[in-house]
Amino acid sequence: GMPYVLTPGAKRWENGNMLGRDRFINELCGILQDGTPHIQLTGMGGIGKTEILNRIYGIFADNQINHVFAHVGYLYYDGTMDSDLEQQLT
């Protein structure tokens, strides 16, 4: 069945300037689709980690691919420990 989306109001965006990332995003989706429980993207600021994860969230939340996850959520850390978790999960 369809996953329960934990954060239906999470902000989504599509950045047309993010070129050359589709293959990488598809590879990450494939890894997650195969049942890997989590991934971690690391790197210097400004290279597109947040945009990549936001796009992956949209793909999974919209059930565009088959996967094994029962819940899908997107939490954006804005610098404070409790603001995003409390607001998005209520």
Side-chain angles (χ1 to χ4, degrees):
M2 294 200 40
Y4 176 67
V5 180
L6 293 174
T7 54
K11 180 180 176 185
R12 297 193 212 181
W13 62 87
E14 186 72 26
N15 185 349
N17 294 322
M18 193 169 74
L19 302 175
R21 300 295 178 119
D22 289 337
R23 184 171 142 199
F24 181 62
I25 289 169
N26 289 337
E27 288 175 8
L28 290 177
C29 285
I31 290 168
L32 291 167
Q33 191 175 11
D34 289 341
T36 298
H38 64 274
I39 58 172
Q40 179 178 357
L41 292 184
T42 61
M44 60 185 282
I47 62 172
K49 298 179 301 291
T50 301
E51 296 203 34
I52 288 168
L53 292 173
N54 187 270
R55 181 148 335 149
I56 291 172
Y57 164 71
I59 290 169
F60 277 76
D62 292 341
N63 212 33
Q64 294 177 19
I65 60 176
N66 293 323
H67 58 83
V68 299
F69 300 106
H71 300 88
V72 176
Y74 183 81
L75 301 175
Y76 177 79
Y77 177 65
D78 67 359
T80 60
M81 288 304 288
D82 57 359
S83 64
D84 211 45
L85 285 173
E86 288 182 7
Q87 290 173 15
Q88 288 195 29
L89 292 178
T90 57

